[in-house]
């Protein structure tokens, strides 16, 4: 699946869908992340229609129903599972949090039974863990069947940024997506691919996380640093 890295992912909701998807096409977006937890309408049939529409635009698609614990909306795990079951045929990757211990095994089954990729993610909006903690996270996620491991940690210093990039570089054969969130962490959204990070997340109009870089600027910077 992974063409030349970094692949650029755009988190979207169900607002202004066609316009957003047309804009995404024009701005070299590779992956659409359905941030279903932020949808205005969370009816299953509506969610399936949105996922099907995105698929019709020939994007790789990630289904995310972010837990409240990791920055999403307050939705029962049972509801989240219903949504994953409803959209699995329309997406390529399911994003489930490492900390969603009640449902991550079931979510893994949903993905694997349909031959889809399981992305196991971890977010900390306050700090960046130690190198040992990050390595343990990577090892645990891989042991639990993750095809892709993603971590997004708030950077409070450039040392935090360096630590995330170095540990990512040490694990570059394990399909890692690494982000240092916040103003200090912006560099990782452009140069993360140098250290093996497969995907970077951007925004058009509405940003979904601290430090995201608007798509036109991001494309420009990536091209510049890739020697384009
Ligand atoms: O995990 C991530 C990364 C992200 O939090 C970011 O920092 O760009 C944006 C989220 O939508 C996505 O699910």
């Amino acid at each position: 699946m992974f063409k030349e890295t970094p692949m650029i992912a755009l988190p979207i909701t169900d607002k202004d869908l066609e316009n957003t998807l047309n804009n995404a096409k024009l701005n070299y977006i590779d992956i659409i992340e359905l941030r279903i937890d932020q949808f205005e309408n969370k009816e299953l049939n509506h969610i399936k229609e949105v996922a099907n529409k995105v698929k019709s635009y020939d994007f790789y698609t990630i289904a995310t129903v972010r837990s409240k614990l990791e920055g999403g909306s307050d939705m029962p795990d049972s509801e989240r599972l219903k949504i994953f079951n409803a959209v699995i045929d329309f997406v390529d990757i399911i994003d489930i949090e490492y900390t969603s211990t009640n449902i991550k095994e079931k979510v893994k089954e949903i993905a694997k039974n349909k031959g889809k990729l399981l992305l196991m993610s971890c977010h900390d909006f306050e700090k960046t863990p130690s190198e040992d903690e990050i390595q343990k996270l990577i090892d645990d996620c891989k042991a639990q069947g993750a095809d892709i491991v993603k971590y997004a940690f708030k950077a409070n210093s450039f040392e935090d940024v360096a630590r995330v990039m170095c540990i990512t570089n040490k694990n570059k054969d394990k399909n890692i997506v690494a982000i240092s969130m916040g103003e200090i962490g912006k560099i990782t959204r452009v140069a993360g691919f140098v250290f093996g990070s497969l995907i970077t997340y951007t925004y058009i109009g509405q940003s979904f996380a601290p430090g995201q870089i608007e798509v036109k600027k991001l494309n420009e910077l990536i091209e510049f640093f890739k020697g384009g």
Side-chain angles (χ1 to χ4, degrees):
M1 165 181 177
F2 294 105
K3 71 165 187 70
E4 189 191 350
T5 54
M7 293 186 82
I8 301 180
L10 177 70
I12 70 167
T13 68
D14 54 346
K15 275 185 293 187
D16 199 16
L17 185 61
E18 291 220 9
N19 189 34
T20 301
L21 295 176
N22 291 331
N23 243 331
K25 274 291 177 198
L26 291 173
N27 286 283
Y28 311 104
I29 295 293
D30 302 296
I31 303 173
I32 293 290
E33 180 193 33
L34 299 172
R35 277 300 301 268
I36 300 167
D37 56 290
Q38 302 298 318
F39 277 24
E40 284 181 341
N41 176 348
K42 296 188 180 69
E43 291 290 315
L44 289 183
N45 283 334
H46 171 72
I47 293 171
K48 285 167 77 171
E49 279 167 21
V50 170
N52 194 29
K53 184 82 178 171
V54 172
K55 205 71 205 137
S56 71
Y57 274 68
D58 202 23
F59 286 109
Y60 284 117
T61 314
I62 300 173
T64 298
V65 191
R66 189 62 69 228
S67 65
K68 183 172 173 49
L69 179 66
E70 297 206 13
S73 61
D74 191 3
M75 187 187 290
D77 282 341
S78 56
E79 284 306 303
R80 297 206 290 152
L81 270 180
K82 281 180 192 162
I83 291 171
F84 285 129
N85 265 310
V87 297
I88 189 66
D89 290 329
F90 303 102
V91 301
D92 303 285
I93 302 172
I94 284 191
D95 178 326
I96 186 67
E97 303 82 15
Y98 173 72
T99 57
S100 288
T101 47
N102 292 339
I103 60 170
K104 66 181 172 181
E105 262 312 303
K106 294 189 185 81
V107 170
K108 181 171 89 172
E109 268 172 53
I110 292 168
K112 303 290 183 183
N113 288 346
K114 294 276 187 168
K116 310 293 179 146
L117 296 178
L118 181 72
L119 183 158
M120 205 170 274
S121 60
C122 184
H123 307 76
D124 188 326
F125 291 85
E126 303 299 323
K127 64 185 182 316
T128 296
S130 69
E131 182 171 342
D132 288 348
E133 287 166 323
I134 299 172
Q135 188 60 61
K136 181 180 185 312
L137 169 72
I138 294 168
D139 295 343
D140 283 359
C141 288
K142 297 305 277 188
Q144 292 170 24
D147 298 297
I148 305 165
V149 180
K150 174 173 73 173
Y151 37 87
F153 302 134
K154 173 71 167 36
N156 295 312
S157 67
F158 286 116
E159 200 285 329
D160 284 344
V161 175
R163 184 161 76 252
V164 168
M165 291 293 101
C166 288
I167 194 81
T168 301
N169 194 50
K170 278 185 193 164
N171 292 271
K172 66 192 320 181
D173 58 334
K174 296 176 185 158
N175 289 340
I176 306 288
V177 176
I179 299 162
S180 284
M181 292 191 285
E183 288 307 301
I184 293 178
K186 276 180 184 284
I187 179 86
T188 65
R189 297 182 183 276
V190 181
F193 72 94
V194 173
F195 301 87
S197 181
L198 298 173
I199 301 172
T200 184
Y201 289 74
T202 187
Y203 76 92
I204 297 173
Q206 173 194 2
S207 169
F208 277 82
Q212 281 186 343
I213 300 169
E214 190 273 335
V215 66
K216 286 184 171 47
K217 184 71 178 170
L218 181 67
N219 272 306
E220 192 185 295
L221 290 169
I222 289 175
E223 275 316 297
F224 178 77
F225 283 106
K226 285 179 87 169

